[in-house]
Amino acid sequence: MTSDNFEIFNFNESLQEGLDAMGFTKPTPIQKEAIPEILKGNDLIACAQTGTGKTAAFILPILHKIAEKGDNQFNTMIIAPTRELAIQIDQQIQGLAYFVGVSSIAIYGGGDGLAWEQQKKALEHGTEIVVATPGRLIALLAGGKIKLDTLEHLVLDEADRMLDMGFSDDILKIINYLPKSRQTVLFSATMPPKIRQFSKQIVSDPSEINIAISKTAKGVTQLVYMVHDPDKEKLLEQILTQKNYEAVIIFASTKDKVKSIFRTLKKKFDTEAFHSDLTQEERENIMSNFKNRSLKILIGTDIISRGIDVEGIELVINYDTPNDPEDYVHRVGRTARADKKGEAITFVNDKDLYKLHRIQNLIGLEISRMDLPDGINNAPTYKEGKPGKKKGPSGGGSFKKRDNKKKPNHSGRSNNKGEKPQNTTEKPQQSSNPDSSSKTKDAENAGKFKTRRNVTE
């Protein structure tokens, strides 16, 4: 398709009027490729990460079908790995579905008894689209609270995340409840062999779409500090005091570390820790406060790197170097959205150099390294090595001890051979879309599917 507006899909008149009223004009690559396949009724496997417009890619054609059919029966089930993502998807559906008179509900655990009763009543009164997490959905299915005979669409969002979280058995159990005659759509940020194998159990003769390739946005200034673990908190405090940031996300590797950082920062900064020990109400309040800027700094694990859409993030700090290079892309993707500028800082200790090189290999960029500020003198030193070049067991360089007394300068000075911080060259999609934009990883070339496309944004 060569046209660059939503009119090429011949959507239901009310749905198209809604898109026009909301100012959505230009579909993203995943939308241009996925919407026609879903409209045809084909099962689909799509590799596309958060920010590419994937939610609208499956919601718009489903809303069109429901509107054209004209009944109010239960039609679509969407399964998401986390409560936060389920809520976000439901919010997007409500915005788009308003114009065609379609209802939806988010079903998830972690709430109180009142929330559970509200969810059950909504299902009993009828809703066309249900967005659910696996655990709560199984409870409803086992209790006979959802009538499935009219179901036409099943959507699995962030399938790779669900498998990583151990939901594969739950999903297969859910599948056993569903009508065999249905359209199944599977979205995944990555497409490793385990996803391929899993998909064979739930889709039939699927089309496939791959959105290439994992890159960070052009507007992100990416920086690295070589720092030992005991000095990280001191460095973090100094960075946060250099500027009056309005929106910062700090990523740590574990829940316990998130809590530790929070105990330190709360003495001086407006901050909250976001983790699984909080109640659902507490988590929703924290995220609401962060979105409306009454909360400036959010600390969490990768639970907030996917599926959380917050505009205007100025700074992302990787307190721990991500284990998976894809996680780095997801984390950094929280900033510099919709053509805005942002900064991403990663702390690298003496054991994590190989992780840095894996990240650089994925994004095709050697990230600029900053001098440590006064008061942090003993730091690991990066031995130069270009991405993709293996130099010893670390896969691209090694550490040595050094004294480092230079002040950090986020305006561009680094200790990377005097070079200014470099940015990637990928440009995010325009904001005239139902979803914001970022980049995704190529699906691995495995399995046979009837339609194969590779799209580079």
Side-chain angles (χ1 to χ4, degrees), residues 20-221:
D20 293 340
M22 297 171 75
F24 300 143
T25 57
K26 184 179 179 181
T28 63
I30 186 60
Q31 291 164 2
K32 287 198 289 187
E33 297 298 320
I35 288 173
E37 296 298 325
I38 297 174
L39 288 174
K40 291 175 189 175
N42 295 332
D43 279 10
L44 175 66
I45 295 177
C47 186
Q49 70 189 41
T50 299
T52 57
K54 66 180 176 65
T55 304
F58 60 76
I59 287 302
L60 289 174
I62 288 174
L63 289 175
H64 166 81
K65 289 184 181 184
I66 295 174
E68 291 290 292
K69 193 173 182 180
D71 61 31
N72 299 111
Q73 295 178 311
F74 176 46
N75 178 278
T76 300
M77 180 181 293
I78 301 169
I79 305 176
T82 66
R83 293 170 287 189
E84 289 73 29
L85 182 56
I87 293 169
Q88 180 179 305
I89 293 172
D90 183 49
Q91 290 172 342
Q92 282 194 279
I93 292 172
Q94 290 179 19
L96 295 168
Y98 171 81
F99 299 92
V100 292
V102 173
S103 63
S104 66
I105 183 173
I107 304 292
Y108 49 87
D112 55 22
L114 178 60
W116 173 244
E117 289 301 320
Q118 289 174 338
Q119 292 172 5
K120 287 194 291 185
K121 285 182 180 179
L123 292 172
E124 290 168 359
H125 285 88
T127 185
E128 289 90 344
I129 302 175
V130 170
V131 188
T133 54
R136 178 51 60 95
L137 182 55
I138 287 176
L140 288 170
L141 292 172
K145 299 299 181 182
I146 303 179
K147 295 181 180 180
L148 300 169
D149 53 317
T150 60
L151 184 136
E152 296 182 2
H153 305 100
L154 171 67
V155 179
L156 301 181
D157 196 13
E158 295 200 0
D160 54 345
R161 189 76 166 168
M162 282 194 275
L163 264 61
D164 289 342
M165 295 171 69
F167 286 134
S168 57
D169 289 342
D170 288 346
I171 293 170
L172 293 177
K173 187 180 295 184
I174 291 167
I175 296 294
N176 289 333
Y177 282 94
L178 308 183
K180 294 188 182 300
S181 177
R182 67 176 189 274
Q183 182 181 20
T184 301
V185 176
L186 183 151
F187 274 81
S188 184
T190 58
M191 199 62 63
K194 65 179 180 179
I195 296 293
R196 298 275 183 184
Q197 196 65 34
F198 178 75
S199 67
K200 293 177 182 178
Q201 303 178 67
I202 59 176
V203 296
S204 175
D205 193 22
S207 302
E208 182 190 10
I209 298 170
N210 304 327
I211 301 298
I213 180 175
S214 289
K215 296 287 182 182
T216 47
K218 183 179 180 180
V220 181
T221 299

Side-chain angles (χ1 to χ4, degrees), residues 375-408:
I376 306 177
N377 300 324
N378 183 25
T381 301
Y382 181 79
K383 186 176 180 181
E384 299 294 342
K386 293 187 180 300
K389 300 294 185 181
K390 187 172 182 178
K391 294 185 179 181
S394 63
S398 60
F399 281 115
K400 62 182 180 180
K401 299 284 187 179
R402 75 167 179 181
D403 284 339
N404 192 332
K405 298 184 179 180
K406 297 181 181 179
K407 294 181 180 180

Side-chain angles (χ1 to χ4, degrees), residues 231-246:
D231 296 319
K232 284 184 177 181
E233 287 190 355
K234 185 175 183 179
L235 174 61
L236 180 62
E237 288 188 49
Q238 294 202 31
I239 291 173
L240 294 175
T241 55
Q242 287 186 349
K243 179 181 175 181
N244 185 24
Y245 290 102
E246 291 296 318

